[in-house]
Amino acid sequence: MQPFAYTAPDDLQGATSLAAADPRARYLAGGTTLVDLMKLDVETPTQLIDIARLSLTEIADLPDGGLRIGALVRNSDLAHNAAVRSRYPVLSLALLAGASGQLRNMATTGGNLLQRTRCAYFRDTSTPCNKRVPGSGCSAIGGYNRMHAVLGTSESCIATHPSDMAVALIALDARVHVRGSSGDRVIPLTELHRLPGEHPECETILELGELITAVEVPPLSFGARSTYLKVRDRTSYAFALASAAVALDLHGGVVREARVALGGVGTKPWRSREAESVLRGKRATRESYRVAAEAALAGAVAREHNGFKIELARRTLVRALSRLDGGDRA
């Protein structure tokens, strides 16, 4: 770990001003990803800006029926919040599927969205990695890539985005509130993360010094009929091989509206509007779900070791959707 300065500002203005003045400064919240990467010399910040004392820990009802979630709300608190569990079970389930109880007690909403890939080559400073050292090459493409992405990849990077929570939030049309030196702005979560393209080191559209302050989840009339299914090598403390966040609005066995997002297979949390379009107006049957799953994975590109993920993701999506149709399908 390299030497660094430590500051703990009392307000948002102080925090964002410090970060905007130092391109190598990093915000510190729960630290569950950042500190690990600092120990590996993957992250070498000149300054840590501790934001733990900022007032960003509230979960509040919005007048339109949605929720505003402070960026420093702990993952455990969010997962067990009564409003989340009743109105957005997909979010609660996704949070509880991630990490371990101890990590969820520390990890924050904003930090979860911005966590970095668990690609072994990214975390190993002895190997080339375009995300870590731009232009050095992608070791995963010609290396062992069983855990890597099949959607949104490029010849520069095939690293998978690791978050479960982000997959659920993207299915719920969440919006991210940020504060920077130029003021406040709101970003649809679908637009926050970048595809790797030729510059995988640029992971989000956040500008220098910008800080996530809250996540807003809009009301969803059929949000209570939602679920999250995660397939992994073991049943706890493992990243997804494939996952699906889904919600269905059913009437008389017909899908009126659907939300579909995938995890474990994309370079960013992956919203599948193609699958949603296929499902809309169709009867809620496994056959319809399978057609939607084919549409969701139509653009997938397999590498040497991860081709199995394409069929696994299709089956994961079909199974997740099947859990929601219940007696309404009959």
Side-chain angles (χ1 to χ4, degrees):
M1 184 181 291
Q2 303 298 311
F4 58 88
Y6 172 85
T7 55
D10 293 319
D11 55 37
L12 277 171
Q13 181 61 43
T16 56
S17 296
L18 286 168
D22 184 355
R24 289 181 58 194
R26 295 292 182 268
Y27 291 119
L28 175 67
T32 55
T33 296
L34 176 60
V35 174
D36 281 349
L37 295 178
M38 290 173 64
K39 291 176 181 178
L40 296 169
D41 284 337
V42 173
E43 286 274 11
T44 56
T46 53
Q47 179 181 191
L48 288 187
I49 303 170
D50 190 340
I51 58 173
R53 67 180 65 187
L54 302 184
S55 300
L56 303 173
T57 58
E58 184 181 13
I59 303 173
D61 286 303
L62 295 173
D64 64 359
L67 282 181
R68 182 183 173 96
I69 303 161
L72 295 180
V73 172
R74 304 292 177 176
N75 286 181
S76 290
D77 293 333
L78 184 57
H80 294 291
N81 178 269
V84 171
R85 293 177 65 184
S86 62
R87 283 142 60 180
Y88 311 104
V90 61
L91 177 55
S92 178
L93 291 169
L95 285 159
L96 293 173
S100 65
Q102 295 92 331
L103 287 171
R104 291 193 295 270
N105 287 341
M106 289 296 296
T108 63
T109 301
N112 190 312
L113 291 177
L114 298 178
Q115 64 180 294
R116 306 198 71 186
T117 182
R118 275 15 181 233
C119 172
Y121 300 106
F122 169 71
R123 297 167 70 86
D124 181 356
T125 57
S126 69
T127 63
C129 171
N130 288 320
K131 190 178 284 290
R132 179 170 27 82
V133 182
S136 62
C138 176
S139 297
I141 288 178
Y144 185 62
N145 44 47
R146 177 177 179 268
M147 294 294 292
H148 287 73
V150 296
L151 291 169
T153 60
S154 73
E155 290 306 306
S156 296
C157 183
I158 59 171
T160 309
H161 193 278
S163 176
D164 293 295
M165 182 195 77
V167 179
L169 285 173
I170 213 166
L172 294 170
D173 277 335
R175 297 184 288 268
V176 180
H177 292 250
V178 301
R179 169 78 59 87
S181 56
S182 58
D184 296 333
R185 63 175 176 144
V186 180
I187 305 168
L189 183 53
T190 51
E191 299 175 13
L192 176 66
H193 300 95
R194 296 176 184 265
L195 292 174
E198 296 181 357
H199 294 283
E201 75 278 9
C202 300
E203 297 180 354
T204 74
I205 65 169
L206 293 179
E207 298 175 357
L208 178 64
E210 283 192 319
L211 174 65
I212 294 177
T213 57
V215 174
E216 180 182 332
V217 185
L220 185 64
S221 61
F222 55 99
R225 180 174 259 153
S226 63
T227 194
Y228 185 77
L229 177 62
K230 180 177 181 178
V231 178
R232 45 191 162 172
D233 286 323
R234 57 180 185 266
T235 55
S236 67
Y237 198 38
F239 294 99
L241 293 169
S243 67
V246 296
L248 286 180
D249 181 9
L250 298 176
H251 181 71
V254 175
V255 179
R256 293 193 293 195
E257 189 56 77
R259 298 288 177 82
V260 174
L262 300 173
V265 292
T267 54
K268 57 183 281 186
W270 201 262
R271 178 75 176 267
S272 181
R273 300 191 188 278
E274 298 84 358
E276 295 171 4
S277 179
V278 167
L279 288 168
R280 205 171 290 120
K282 301 295 193 304
R283 294 201 63 80
T285 65
R286 290 186 69 87
E287 291 74 20
S288 296
Y289 301 158
R290 181 68 191 187
V291 174
E294 293 285 348
L297 276 297
V301 176
R303 302 288 172 169
E304 182 177 359
H305 306 108
N306 68 356
F308 74 96
K309 278 192 166 192
I310 298 174
E311 179 59 23
L312 181 63
R314 291 185 187 120
R315 296 186 184 196
T316 301
L317 179 52
V318 170
R319 185 176 175 187
L321 290 165
S322 298
R323 289 183 172 182
L324 296 181
D325 56 26
D328 204 321
R329 183 169 68 178

